[in-house]
Amino acid sequence: MNVQNVTVVGAGSMGHQIAMLSALAGFKTNLQDLQGKALEKAKISLIDIIDKWVAKEKITHEQRDKAFENLYFTTELHEAAEEADLVIEAVVEKLEVKREVFAQLDAIVPRHTVLATNSSTIVSSLIADVTSRPEKVCNMHFFFPPLVMDCVEVVKGEHTSEEAAQLAMDVCERMNRTAVLLQKEISGFIANRILFAIQKEAMALYEGGYADFKDIDKITRKALRHPIGPFELMDLSGLDVGYYVMKQQYSETGNPSDQPSQTLIDKVEAGELGRKTGKGFYEYEKKVKN
């Protein structure tokens, strides 16, 4: 592996933390987002998280300073990606947006660059054909929140070379993350297919009037020993994320059971997206800015 420069496209809840993992691993890392406000928010969030790590002695002051020296913020895609050895895309979970981003990246990055999508469900074969390097396209699915969760699903499609998949695995190791290689593509991969089955059943039980969502969460925590209930997890991840994932799955399968539930549709349309908006299934106190 000869990766020195990593670019992360998208500074949202996933992208900015992936970028910090990269910077902590010693890679020169560019975090790109079209919105300057998103980059500023990402920087503030990362300073807060990493300063707490230092206070808890998880890392040293020197490691903190070196990580921020490695991390660059920019709104310009060309500036961010022109020297990249690896690009990790972490934009909104919409296929058409990802295809547009990959087409732009393909025209910017060097010929050796591997292009990875952090998509939680969209397989890279649905994206690779917009590039001139399908053999260098794969999935690197980090879990939320990336700075906490020690797992990455690296998904190898029929188009993906062994070398590209191995590079992704090696980068994960440098980031101190446990990578698991999936040799075949399947929408949703492993963890999310299991998770979505639980969430889908929980939603059906709630909409069927069998129990309140709070009680379903309680049973899941107490009886199944899950650290967090399915409705709590949907709030944490963002109800809009789950909505777009299900819309994408339905477009691929045509199976009515893959469509978002009416409850989820109503929540998204009302702007009740979970923790990030202060209300989802539960209500949350918003942090007061000083």
Side-chain angles (χ1 to χ4, degrees):
M1 185 185 73
N2 191 29
V3 175
Q4 297 181 7
N5 301 312
V6 174
T7 296
V8 179
V9 180
S13 57
M14 295 295 294
H16 76 288
Q17 292 200 17
I18 295 171
M20 178 50 73
L21 282 175
S22 174
L24 285 165
F27 298 115
K28 177 184 174 184
T29 306
N30 284 307
L31 177 60
Q32 186 272 342
D33 197 289
L34 292 174
Q35 302 296 325
K37 287 184 178 180
L39 292 171
E40 185 60 32
K41 181 180 178 181
K43 188 173 184 178
I44 292 170
S45 174
L46 290 174
I47 290 172
D48 180 59
I49 293 169
I50 301 305
D51 282 351
K52 287 178 180 175
W53 280 19
V54 173
K56 293 177 181 178
E57 298 184 347
K58 293 178 68 175
I59 62 172
T60 65
H61 283 282
E62 291 74 19
Q63 288 173 314
R64 174 214 183 272
D65 293 344
K66 185 61 178 176
F68 279 104
E69 285 177 17
N70 289 336
L71 186 56
Y72 304 82
F73 300 83
T74 180
T75 57
E76 299 298 325
L77 187 62
H78 195 281
E79 178 185 346
E82 62 182 346
E83 296 181 358
D85 301 306
L86 169 68
V87 179
I88 303 172
E89 166 272 313
V91 302
V92 65
E93 197 76 350
K94 293 183 178 180
L95 179 59
E96 64 273 16
V97 177
K98 293 181 184 294
R99 284 174 63 85
E100 182 179 346
V101 169
F102 270 70
Q104 292 174 4
L105 286 167
D106 187 55
I108 295 171
V109 300
R111 284 304 311 163
H112 70 273
T113 306
V114 170
L115 302 176
T117 174
N118 178 57
S119 175
S120 58
T121 54
I122 299 172
V123 293
S124 67
S125 60
L126 296 176
I127 304 171
D129 65 295
V130 302
T131 77
S132 61
R133 66 188 82 206
E135 75 283 359
K136 291 182 169 64
V137 178
C138 67
N139 285 85
M140 289 179 70
H141 175 221
F142 293 77
F143 289 84
F144 181 81
L147 284 168
V148 175
M149 299 298 287
D150 175 27
C151 190
V152 182
E153 291 174 320
V154 176
V155 187
K156 180 178 177 291
E158 291 185 0
H159 57 282
T160 309
S161 70
E162 294 285 351
E163 292 77 13
Q166 188 59 53
L167 181 142
M169 296 286 288
D170 291 344
V171 167
C172 291
E173 184 176 352
R174 277 276 298 275
M175 290 181 178
N176 197 30
R177 286 295 173 268
T178 300
V180 181
L181 180 62
L182 278 63
Q183 294 286 356
K184 292 171 61 177
E185 291 185 331
I186 185 170
S187 178
F189 316 138
I190 303 299
N192 274 345
R193 289 184 71 86
I194 297 171
L195 176 62
F196 291 160
I198 294 171
Q199 291 182 344
K200 193 177 294 185
E201 183 62 23
M203 188 70 79
L205 291 167
Y206 168 61
E207 291 186 334
Y210 295 99
D212 184 70
F213 67 86
K214 293 180 181 178
D215 290 326
I216 295 172
D217 277 347
K218 186 184 296 183
I219 291 168
T220 306
R221 292 194 310 271
K222 298 292 186 179
L224 303 181
R225 295 293 185 93
H226 289 203
I228 188 171
F231 294 94
E232 293 170 313
L233 184 55
M234 283 187 267
D235 273 5
L236 178 63
S237 301
L239 298 182
D240 54 331
V241 174
Y243 172 82
Y244 289 129
V245 164
M246 295 193 76
K247 292 281 283 185
Q248 176 60 36
Q249 281 196 317
Y250 176 65
S251 71
E252 293 178 29
T253 67
N255 187 340
S257 68
D258 288 333
Q259 293 193 80
S261 68
Q262 190 58 51
T263 299
L264 188 57
I265 293 171
D266 292 344
K267 290 283 186 184
V268 171
E269 289 181 349
E272 299 174 0
L273 308 182
R275 286 181 178 271
K276 60 186 175 184
T277 60
K279 184 178 181 181
F281 285 96
Y282 296 85
E283 292 191 16
Y284 306 89
E285 291 185 12
K286 291 187 177 181
K287 292 182 180 179
V288 179
K289 293 183 180 180
N290 296 323

